[in-house]
Amino acid sequence: MDDLINNIIALEKISSELEPSIEQRNSYNSNLQEFLNDFIENIENNKAYYIGSPDKEKLAINPEKKSFKDLLSIYTSEVIKKGINPASGGHVGYIPGGGIYTAALGDTLVSVTNEYAGMYYGSPGAVTIENELLNWMKDVFGFPKEAVGNLSSGGSIANLIALTAARDKHKIKNERVTKSVIYLSPQIHHCIHKAIRITGMEDVQVRLLELDGYSRIDSEKLKETVAKDRADGFNPFMVVASAGTTDTGAVDPLEQIGLIAQENKLWYHIDGAYGGFFVLSESKKHLFKGIGMADSLVIDPHKGLFLPYGLGAVLVKDKEAVFHSHHYTANYMQDSIANGQINPADVSPELTKHFRGLRMWLPLNLHGIEPFVACLDEKLLLTTYFRNKLSDVGFEVGPEPDLSVSYFWYPETQVNQNDFNEKLMELIHKDGTVFLSSTKIEGKYVIRMAILSFRTKIETIDKAVTMIERCLAQTKAYFKI
Ligand SMILES: Cc1ncc(COP(=O)(O)O)c(C=O)c1O
């Protein structure tokens, strides 16, 4: 017995390192605070994109301990100064990240208190906060109170949950699979295709719909295609629309598609991961008419509410459809009583679930909704400003965007236009002052701008235009034009 106690005491001595003293905590906190202040104060002086790979040796786990200060320095050189700087306002490519500070305070609070947001029984407070956030989103998007939802790690998992529910509601399995049809825009985010495969619907018929000149689904063509499929003996069961496509920010005609879905008893899913929160902007509300007709909707607070990466959301009207695959009980969970609340674990593949709702709840309560809406409106105006400036310096821009994603290209005639713009993109990446990304629109190589970072300001756009002009001159020199 004495040996046992002595062994426990010896191990306790070693493991006590995991509970730093108040002095150690204060020291960590002050180092971190200094680091974060420096990061934020200098963020716009640093590049938005750094080409290069990290030193694997420095990042590998080895037995030798390092000081917190040394680790912060490694973090700067090997993580922050490699690749895209997602917290920078200069991130104007892909769909930019956010990272508002008060959300990080929420994360710290959650990590230290380690609240569990899987089952109401474990943390009724945390689960109630998450469910109240979902209730708020139901109100914003015109979903009924009885709808269920989940705060996921991002849009991809949120879309996966929605497609699982659609599959289960329409019983797309066994011999029904190959006769069943899903209608999609060719501009749909690839995570929908991923979800189709993950949910075992790879062999379903996927019809890529025709688009209009603004890259929106042509609803008349959708109607015709569904009618033809029915006449040919297929089983149309789902249509997916986008409230803001990734490539061009297009919002599909949500109401018209909703009516077609209702008439044909299709599951209507809307992916609003990028664009959904623009519904809060008075100037764009009309585009979202009909969003509440969806059976399921995805929105990403880590995009449209400027939160740090790691927070998507899904709303689904049919609780039973979601529960079919996600709700489980087990002997070891017999104590868990939900008290009339929805358990997040019943609407998601996750059981042990990070309490990610606090990073949204805290900022919404601290700041109110107004600064978020102002920020969305600001991004819309900055998109127009950027496009105007680019036109002024000789670029061609894509059609007037619905939201804050657009594209442009240099109309070069002396050399192949695609090659010219690809080289220009390469030089913009090399420069890195502002990060832009590229895409292909109907075979044409174009440079994409996506303005969604809360830190993107009018000065950022001016800086971007100066950089683009600088890189344009270098591109012309490269092609000897
Ligand atoms: C329209 C759309 N849907 C879904 C996703 C995937 O979301 P996530 O990257 O959060 O998984 C994205 C990501 O950019 C998107 O733009």
Side-chain angles (χ1 to χ4, degrees), residues 94-96 152-159 187-192 194 242-247 271-275 298-300 302-303 309-312 448:
Y94 299 116
I95 300 293
S152 63
S153 58
S156 300
I157 300 298
N159 275 306
Q187 289 285 336
I188 201 78
H189 192 271
H190 73 271
C191 73
I192 297 289
K194 237 192 210 185
S242 303
T245 56
T246 313
D247 251 355
D271 179 6
Y274 150 62
V298 163
I299 48 259
D300 258 2
H302 73 187
K303 297 184 174 73
Y309 290 139
L311 189 57
R448 248 181 101 256

Side-chain angles (χ1 to χ4, degrees), residues 424 427 431-434 463-476:
L424 173 60
L427 292 169
D431 184 292
T433 309
V434 169
K463 203 160 67 169
V465 175
T466 307
M467 175 198 72
I468 291 166
E469 282 187 281
R470 183 165 66 236
C471 295
L472 178 63
Q474 291 166 6
T475 312
K476 286 184 173 173

